[in-house]
Amino acid sequence: MGGVAVDPVGEDEVVAWVAAELAAGRGGRIVTPNVDICRAVARDPRLAELVAGAEVVVADGMPLVWAARLQGTPLPGRVTGADLIWSLSGMAARRGRPVYLLGGPPGVAEAAARELTGRHPGLEVCGVDAPPYGFDLTEAGRERVRRKVVAARPALVFAGLGFPRQDLLIAELRRDLPRAWFLGCGAAIGFAAGTVSRAPGWMRRGGLEWLHRLVTEPRRLARRYLVDDLPFAVRLLAASAVRRRSAGGRAPVRSRRRSAP
């Protein structure tokens, strides 16, 4: 949808896939596109290649779920970074896999680590880091972050720096930690810490999480959601409906995976 190929899998399947790949000594990247990411990908071929190269791509935004349904290739549902940070941590606790939290304002990653270990006893958080805004603009800033992550030797890294900053950094870190798994999770570290309010379940199920975030952070998100993302979402849904009619009732499906978990 919107130029992004998405894996038609649910959250449990993603966790099972990552667990199996870790056991086999293989790492990877998880990208969770929403409308904003699709809009960025549509404008920049480099970002399109970055997303397409991830081992797992799952739909975070409800408009993508609706678009998939309209074009005749339904998805099991949303798979969000805000949910995966909990379920992957649970898997890591059960299997003795250390995790690393990267992102958020000072103190937020530490608070998220306390919440995650409180819910999942036995979880090993091998490191946290809250690099200053703009650290990735210099080689020295990226190198400082890289050294800390590599020295911690995590099996899972939750990078909450926003797209595409987190994903560009993850692509670099993958070269140093080829057996680790990386989740670009945006605001999920803040959600886990409780410093950022997440929408109640009924709003998430109804595709209204964006409205909750807009109300709680209007100055930061108003332009992105109302001026940039909303028109793109309308065009995405319309194009999906047209695509289905053009394909005779069902759009072609292109699998991203070579094998199932």
Side-chain angles (χ1 to χ4, degrees):
M1 288 74 62
V4 176
V6 176
D7 291 308
V9 294
E11 182 180 348
D12 290 346
E13 292 172 281
V14 174
V15 174
W17 173 269
V18 172
E21 291 293 279
L22 283 171
R26 294 187 292 265
R29 294 190 290 126
I30 303 171
V31 179
T32 62
N34 54 19
V35 167
D36 199 60
I37 291 176
C38 288
R39 184 174 60 83
V41 163
R43 298 195 318 267
D44 190 333
R46 182 186 63 151
L47 298 183
E49 183 178 354
L50 181 66
V51 172
E55 281 70 19
V56 177
V57 180
V58 285
D60 184 307
M62 277 304 295
L64 273 67
V65 175
W66 296 332
R69 190 179 306 153
L70 280 172
Q71 72 179 25
T73 56
L75 298 170
R78 291 178 73 199
V79 183
T80 73
D83 293 321
L84 282 171
I85 195 172
W86 292 102
S87 53
L88 287 172
S89 291
M91 179 273 291
R94 293 189 298 273
R95 296 176 179 249
R97 304 287 187 178
V99 306
Y100 192 98
L101 302 176
L102 174 62
V108 171
E110 288 88 346
R114 289 192 295 271
E115 295 295 325
L116 290 168
T117 54
R119 182 179 298 186
H120 300 297
L123 176 66
E124 177 189 353
V125 178
C126 61
V128 299
D129 191 14
Y133 185 80
F135 79 93
D136 51 330
L137 298 179
T138 67
E139 184 176 346
R142 292 194 303 274
E143 178 62 16
R144 185 196 71 81
V145 171
R146 187 196 69 81
R147 285 199 305 267
K148 288 189 68 174
V149 178
V150 171
R153 308 304 297 178
L156 283 160
V157 178
F158 302 126
L161 302 167
F163 182 87
R165 295 171 59 230
Q166 63 195 15
D167 302 271
L168 292 168
L169 179 63
I170 285 170
E172 292 185 25
L173 292 171
R174 281 277 287 127
R175 295 193 288 268
D176 296 299
L177 296 168
R179 296 186 176 185
W181 272 83
F182 296 81
L183 170 66
C185 59
I189 293 176
F191 289 145
T195 58
V196 179
S197 171
R198 195 175 183 198
W202 68 268
M203 293 189 81
R204 299 200 298 267
R205 291 188 295 271
L208 295 173
E209 188 162 16
W210 67 272
L211 180 60
H212 176 84
R213 295 202 65 196
L214 177 62
V215 170
T216 55
E217 301 181 79
R219 295 185 64 180
R220 187 173 75 87
L221 298 175
R223 177 174 179 82
R224 181 199 301 180
Y225 284 175
L226 300 179
V227 178
D228 298 329
D229 289 354
L230 184 58
F232 184 89
V234 171
R235 292 194 299 271
L236 171 64
L237 294 171
S240 297
V242 169
R243 187 181 183 204
R244 180 173 184 172
R245 288 198 296 271
S246 300
R250 183 175 176 84
V253 178
R254 180 167 68 89
S255 174
R256 301 187 66 260
R257 291 258 185 80
R258 294 181 182 176
S259 61

